[in-house]
């Protein structure tokens, strides 16, 4: 009785005006299941609104009577899977047996009606303000995918366009081009929180190392000013260097999104001296040969041993020492 009452209250709140607003008619239709025209029409009515609000791919169409029961059940099964229905009896097992009982039919109506009600509530609420950082990320995605730049008020609608564009591009690339994801396990919220903390610790370590390298770079460039030839070109060096220097940041841009996007080939370690990498890192300066340079020495065989820092220790002679012969005050 509780399930029937919940269904009737929800249908009334949704504005349903069909014949199943009476409990007796509802139970009778649930007993007949997919063979009942009123039952299937109610499912079609709920599914049509869910598809429109949720922008779903699957849907449910009207049946042509008892002869099309199996087709109706197949459509319901696909629709429920897209909605991630929690009732295993409605999405698993033999398709023909899923709507055989009155309880399963009532579960279907309860799920569809409450799902529609929840979706309407979510749609009626104003969208939360989008942070500037998130807006920049979405703009970057749209630019990469050649999509129009989204406005601040239409950020939420941009995700549908981005998803459609990605699916379109995926259909054009060769099979296996992207490879398998590096992370295949499903993580819990606690595990994601730990990963977030690990990434934060690694970012702090990266920031420290990067600041050290940038400082070494600054000092190296400053040392060029010591040259007499470079003193007359200080402005030229500063103009060429500062533009590139300011583009370097010590902050890491790696987030958990990079972990989700990582593919299996990222786990393969390739030497920096390998042919594949050298194709991208080779530059003309690698081919410059240094001429004759002054001999700076440093060969161990030619180094003379250093002189003694202290005189060698010697044992004190017997009879020596201060105050020999009776010492001070002797002979008194």
């Amino acid at each position: 009785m509780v399930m029937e009452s919940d269904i009737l209250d929800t249908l009334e709140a949704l504005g349903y005006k069909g014949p199943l607003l009476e409990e007796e008619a509802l139970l009778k239709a649930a007993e007949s299941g997919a063979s009942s025209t009123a039952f299937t029409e109610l499912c079609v009515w709920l599914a049509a609104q869910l598809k429109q609000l949720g922008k779903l791919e699957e849907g449910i169409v009207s049946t042509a009577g008892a002869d099309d029961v199996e087709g109706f059940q197949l459509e319901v099964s696909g629709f429920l899977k897209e909605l991630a229905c929690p009732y295993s009896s409605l999405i698993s097992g033999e398709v023909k047996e899923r709507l055989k009982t009155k309880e399963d039919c009532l579960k279907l109506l309860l799920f569809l009606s409450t799902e529609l009600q929840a979706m309407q509530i979510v749609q009626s609420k104003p969208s939360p303000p989008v942070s500037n950082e998130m807006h920049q990320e979405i703009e970057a995605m749209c630019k990469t995918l050649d999509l129009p730049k989204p406005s601040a008020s239409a950020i939420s609608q941009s995700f549908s366009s981005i998803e459609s564009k990605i699916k379109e591009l995926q259909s054009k690339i060769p099979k296996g081009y992207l490879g398998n994801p590096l992370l295949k396990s499903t993580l819990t919220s606690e595990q994601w929180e730990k990963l977030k903390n690990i990434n934060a610790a690694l970012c702090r370590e990266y920031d420290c190392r990067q600041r050290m390298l940038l400082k070494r770079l600054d000092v190296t460039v400053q040392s060029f000013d010591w040259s007499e030839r470079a003193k007359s070109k200080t402005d030229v060096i500063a103009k060429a260097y500062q533009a590139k220097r300011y583009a370097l940041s010590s902050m890491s841009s790696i987030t958990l999104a990079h972990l989700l996007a990582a593919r299996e080939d990222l786990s393969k370690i390739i030497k920096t001296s390998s042919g594949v990498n050298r194709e991208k890192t080779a530059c003309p300066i690698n081919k410059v040969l240094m001429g004759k340079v002054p001999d700076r020495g440093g060969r161990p065989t030619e180094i003379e041993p250093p002189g003694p820092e202290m005189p060698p220790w010697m044992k004190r002679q017997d009879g020596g020492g201060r105050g020999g012969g009776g010492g001070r005050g002797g002979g008194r």
Side-chain angles (χ1 to χ4, degrees):
M1 292 294 293
V2 177
M3 190 182 301
E4 297 92 291
S5 300
D6 290 341
I7 294 173
L8 292 173
D9 292 341
T10 307
L11 290 176
E12 187 176 356
L14 293 172
Y16 173 70
K17 304 297 183 182
L20 300 185
L21 280 178
E22 298 293 332
E23 185 174 340
E24 184 178 351
L26 178 65
L27 293 176
K28 185 177 179 180
E31 288 177 357
S32 301
S35 301
S36 170
T37 304
F39 175 80
T40 56
E41 286 179 352
L42 176 55
C43 292
V44 171
W45 184 79
L46 292 169
Q49 296 187 70
L50 281 168
K51 183 176 181 179
Q52 182 180 2
L53 286 176
K55 296 180 175 56
L56 305 176
E57 295 182 359
E58 300 289 341
I60 304 175
V61 298
S62 301
T63 62
D67 297 335
D68 198 23
V69 170
E70 186 175 352
F72 173 78
Q73 290 175 328
L74 285 172
E75 290 180 348
V76 169
S77 177
F79 189 69
L80 293 179
K81 286 182 179 178
E82 187 174 4
L83 287 172
C85 177
Y87 298 117
S88 58
S89 59
L90 299 179
I91 58 175
S92 61
E94 186 67 27
V95 176
K96 298 179 181 180
E97 304 296 327
R98 294 179 186 176
L99 295 176
K100 282 288 186 180
T101 66
K102 180 181 70 174
E103 287 73 18
D104 286 340
C105 292
L106 291 175
K107 284 181 182 179
L108 174 62
L109 292 177
L110 180 63
F111 174 73
L112 293 177
S113 59
T114 53
E115 194 75 8
L116 177 58
Q117 190 176 40
M119 199 171 289
Q120 288 180 348
I121 294 173
V122 172
Q123 292 286 341
S124 64
K125 290 183 177 180
S127 302
V130 180
S131 64
N132 187 41
E133 183 179 357
M134 185 184 298
H135 195 189
Q136 290 176 356
E137 292 289 344
I138 296 174
E139 282 186 353
M141 284 191 288
C142 291
K143 183 178 180 181
T144 303
L145 296 172
D146 292 330
L147 293 174
K149 184 178 179 180
S151 61
S153 59
I155 287 294
S156 57
Q157 287 79 7
S158 301
F159 287 104
S160 300
S161 303
I162 292 172
E163 183 181 8
S164 301
K165 185 66 174 181
I166 291 175
K167 288 182 178 179
E168 177 188 345
L169 294 175
Q170 284 181 330
S171 63
K172 295 179 181 179
I173 61 177
K175 186 178 180 180
Y177 178 81
L178 290 177
N180 297 320
L182 187 60
L183 179 64
K184 299 182 177 66
S185 304
T186 302
L187 304 181
T188 63
S189 57
E190 291 80 8
Q191 290 173 324
W192 280 115
E193 189 63 29
K194 288 182 180 178
L195 271 179
K196 183 179 178 181
N197 295 334
I198 291 173
N199 183 61
L202 291 174
C203 286
R204 288 193 296 270
E205 176 70 16
Y206 173 87
D207 177 65
C208 178
R209 292 171 179 266
Q210 184 76 344
R211 282 190 285 109
M212 180 192 69
L213 291 173
L214 291 175
K215 177 57 70 175
R216 292 178 62 180
L217 175 62
D218 291 337
V219 172
T220 302
V221 174
Q222 289 173 7
S223 67
F224 295 159
D225 294 338
W226 301 345
S227 169
E228 293 296 332
R229 293 176 57 190
K231 287 181 179 179
S232 60
K233 300 181 179 180
T234 303
D235 295 338
V236 178
I237 295 174
K239 185 177 180 180
Y241 172 67
Q242 294 298 336
K244 293 180 171 59
R245 172 63 180 85
Y246 288 142
L248 300 176
S249 172
S250 64
M251 300 298 294
S252 173
S253 59
I254 301 299
T255 63
L256 294 183
H258 292 83
L259 175 62
L260 295 173
R263 319 312 288 178
E264 285 183 339
D265 57 354
L266 192 63
S267 61
K268 299 176 182 178
I269 300 176
I270 302 176
K271 293 183 177 180
T272 56
S273 59
S274 67
V276 177
N277 283 342
R278 286 299 294 158
E279 290 178 0
K280 299 179 181 180
T281 58
C283 60
I285 198 172
N286 298 138
K287 300 177 182 179
V288 176
L289 299 178
M290 295 181 64
K292 187 176 181 181
V293 296
D295 186 3
R296 298 190 300 170
R299 288 175 285 275
T301 55
E302 299 178 0
I303 297 177
E304 297 181 359
E309 296 180 1
M310 295 180 61
W313 181 83
M314 296 178 63
K315 186 177 180 180
R316 183 174 295 175
Q317 299 293 329
D318 293 339
R322 189 173 55 185
R328 189 174 53 182
R332 282 190 180 181

